[in-house]
Every structure is written in structure tokens, then in C-alpha cells.
Amino acid sequence: MNKNKNKIKIIIILLLLILTTGCTKSLVDENKKAVKNPNTGQTLTENILCQPTDKDTIKAYEKAGVKIEKLPKCEDFKINSGGYDGLWSSLIVKPLSWSLLKIGHLVKSYAISLIILTLIIRLLIFPLTLNMAKQSEIMKEMQPKMQKIQKKYAGKEDQESMMKMQQETMMLYKEFHVNPALGCIFSFLQLPLLLGFFEAVQRTPAIFEANFLGLQLGTTINVGITSSIFYSYLILLILIAGSTFLSFKMNQADMAAPAGSSEAMPSMKMMPYMMSIMIIVMGIFMPSGLCIYWVTSNLFTIIQNIAVKRRKKNGKA
């Protein structure tokens, strides 16, 4: 059963990679080197969705031969602007960009727009994430029985023993009304959302040219941290690290309850630390706008999990 699940996961990941690969194109000069904004150090994207307004950015695009006059102004951008641009772009990137532009126009801030849209999306998938948080708490109660099953079949690698262990594990899931696939579903939702917001920020000039509390939304932390206002990017990096670690730590029960051997438990306990380090390294090279999305999403998860824990402690969940 685990093998089948792993195959399904691999297939879905490959499909997601195929669906999302090759959408954003870096702007390059005649020497095939990436073009950067001379003021912010931001690496520019060739296939932008609307016209930039920054003079240096406009010059960079014109020098690279991009006909920006054929693009709509960002305030006039529509979901169907530019026609069909592939499944990924038409269904994910353009709707996200349009939503960010509309909300940003209303609240007069594209950073606040990123926060609001992130919260809207998290509220839409709230029933799923709420069930996931509740199951996380239930799985903690399951641990003693899960460990008994693991000890019972420790060292037994024959097919019959493995099948019996799987059957007993599934019966335990059924007894506690837990769906082990629920955590995977949310993970598969997170990947396209993260990539979708990345594309939306990188391909929408009004967003990547915007500033917020010293941050330039299109500038990556590794570039921004070398500027005179490095402290804003340093604070953002700390927020990414802290929120990511707490989020993974609170969801550790989901990762620590596989139907495997007890020897795997130490490595599973290290998972929050390893995942946090990986995300932090990624965050250094992510545009600030995407980092704002990630921190907001993490904070939503943390608050949700705290609320679930309190309700369960008070006997309400």
C-alpha cells in the first residue's frame, strides 16, 4: 500500500513539475546574461504581463528588445489579457496577478494585497486545513498504539508481516477516524500556490516594482541584504525562519506517524529542522513579495493550530 501511495505522489509531483516548468523566462541581454534592474539588483522577467512604470526598468526591457507598448497597463490588466498563454498561466498565474492588482488598487498597497489574497485563499481551503490540524492532534493520541504495532513487527521484513502491519495500521487509522492522505493533499496544494504566487510577483511589474516597509517586492533577500536598508530584509528572513520552524514543528505529528519501523522516528523528529533550513535557504533567493506570502500562510497555520489545541484542551474539539 505504501508503494502505491509513493507512486501516486511521484506521478502527481511530476505532473505538477510538467505543468509549471518553463513559464517564467528571465530577461537576457545580447550576451545571454540575465538583465538586472540597476537600482534594485532585481533579476527581470522577460514575459511580463503588463507594462512597467519605472524608467530604469523600461530602458532595460527596451534595450533587450521587449515591445512593452503592446502590453496592457497594469491597472487595465484583465485575466484574459494577452490571450491563451498555456494552462498554468491562464488558470493560475493570470487570475492571481489580476486579483493582486485589483486588491492592491483598492488598498493602495500591493504588499497588503499579497497578505489579503493569501488570507482569502487560506480561508477558502480552511475546512481542509482545519481537519488536518484536528487529525494532527488525534495522531498524538494514536502514538502509543502505533508504537506497539511498530515494535510488534520490528525486524520482520517478510511480505506477510509487512501486510499484517499495514492492515493493523489502517485499522488503527479507522478506529481514530484519521485519513492519512489528508496531509499529502494539503502539501500538493501548497506547491502550485507557492509557484503561482512566485510567477504572479515576477511577471507583474506593478507588484515587483512596489515597496513596503523598506522592502522592494521584486528584490530577493540575498540582493536586498546588501543594500543600505538591509535590516528590512534581515527581519523578513528571521520571520521566514521562525514561522516556518513553528509551522513544521506544530505539524510534526502528521509526519511522525508513518507505518514504518520505530528506527525511523529520530529522523522524523529532525524533519522540522531540516525542512526549516531548506525553506530558509530557498527564502534567501525568493522575491520579497513571495516571502510575504509564505510568512502570512505560516502565521495562519500557526494560529489555526493553536486554536485547535486550545479547543481540544477545553474539550470542545
Side-chain angles (χ1 to χ4, degrees):
M1 189 173 293
N2 273 347
K3 290 183 178 179
N4 291 332
K5 286 183 180 179
N6 289 334
K7 287 179 181 178
I8 293 172
K9 290 179 185 178
I10 292 171
I11 291 170
I12 294 175
I13 290 171
L14 288 174
L15 286 173
L16 287 171
L17 289 173
I18 292 169
L19 186 64
T20 57
T21 299
C23 203
T24 293
K25 300 176 184 177
S26 295
L27 187 67
V28 296
D29 58 21
E30 61 274 9
N31 298 318
K32 303 299 180 182
K33 292 183 179 180
V35 177
K36 298 183 179 181
N37 184 296
N39 294 324
T40 64
Q42 175 205 352
T43 301
L44 299 174
T45 302
E46 179 184 341
N47 55 338
I48 50 176
L49 298 173
C50 52
Q51 295 181 13
T53 56
D54 177 73
K55 292 181 180 179
D56 291 319
T57 304
I58 292 172
K59 286 180 181 178
Y61 277 106
E62 289 178 342
K63 188 176 180 181
V66 178
K67 297 179 179 179
I68 58 176
E69 67 275 4
K70 291 187 176 181
L71 296 171
K73 292 181 179 180
C74 287
E75 59 263 31
D76 299 326
F77 178 76
K78 299 177 181 178
I79 294 177
N80 60 350
S81 292
Y84 180 74
D85 189 23
L87 190 64
W88 167 252
S89 184
S90 298
L91 294 181
I92 305 293
V93 180
K94 286 185 177 181
L96 281 176
S97 295
W98 178 82
S99 300
L100 288 170
L101 288 168
K102 290 300 179 184
I103 298 172
H105 180 72
L106 289 173
V107 300
K108 309 301 180 185
S109 170
Y110 291 112
I112 300 299
S113 175
L114 275 161
I115 294 172
I116 292 173
L117 186 57
T118 303
L119 292 175
I120 290 173
I121 291 174
R122 289 305 305 263
L123 286 171
L124 288 174
I125 61 174
F126 180 70
L128 172 64
T129 57
L130 180 62
N131 284 335
M132 182 179 165
K134 288 180 178 179
Q135 287 199 22
S136 178
E137 291 301 304
I138 294 172
M139 290 178 91
K140 290 179 183 178
E141 298 176 7
M142 284 174 53
Q143 285 305 303
K145 291 187 176 182
M146 180 69 74
Q147 289 171 2
K148 282 184 180 180
I149 295 174
Q150 292 169 346
K151 289 179 181 179
K152 181 179 177 180
Y153 294 98
K156 298 179 181 179
E157 298 182 359
D158 59 285
Q159 189 174 359
E160 184 179 353
S161 296
M162 295 301 290
M163 286 183 65
K164 287 182 178 179
M165 185 177 70
Q166 288 288 343
Q167 289 171 356
E168 290 184 30
T169 301
M170 294 311 296
M171 287 178 65
L172 186 62
Y173 282 136
K174 190 174 181 180
E175 178 186 344
F176 282 84
H177 304 287
V178 169
N179 181 1
L182 194 60
C184 297
I185 294 172
F186 180 65
S187 298
F188 291 139
L189 281 175
Q190 279 281 65
L191 178 60
L193 280 174
L194 181 66
L195 293 174
F197 271 95
F198 172 78
E199 295 270 0
V201 171
Q202 291 291 83
R203 297 178 63 188
T204 312
I207 298 172
F208 69 63
E209 290 176 344
N211 294 280
F212 179 69
L213 298 177
L215 300 168
Q216 203 263 342
L217 299 186
T219 300
T220 57
I221 291 179
N222 68 308
V223 172
I225 209 165
T226 61
S227 67
S228 58
I229 48 173
F230 68 92
Y231 52 86
S232 295
Y233 295 92
L234 185 60
I235 291 171
L236 183 59
L237 182 60
I238 293 170
L239 286 173
I240 291 172
S243 64
T244 299
F245 175 77
L246 284 175
S247 179
F248 280 122
K249 188 71 174 176
M250 295 181 92
N251 287 325
Q252 190 175 19
D254 288 331
M255 297 182 288
S261 65
S262 58
E263 288 131 9
M265 298 302 287
S267 64
M268 297 308 291
K269 289 180 180 179
M270 288 298 296
M271 188 66 72
Y273 301 95
M274 293 187 293
M275 292 297 291
S276 297
I277 292 171
M278 184 181 74
I279 295 296
I280 292 166
V281 172
M282 288 173 57
I284 293 174
F285 302 98
M286 292 193 301
S288 299
L290 186 64
C291 294
I292 290 173
Y293 156 76
W294 186 255
V295 171
T296 304
S297 185
N298 282 340
L299 291 177
F300 187 98
T301 299
I302 292 167
I303 293 170
Q304 174 186 265
N305 287 348
I306 290 174
V308 169
K309 289 176 187 292
R310 286 183 177 177
R311 284 180 62 86
K312 187 168 183 62
K313 187 177 181 181
N314 295 330
K316 297 180 180 180

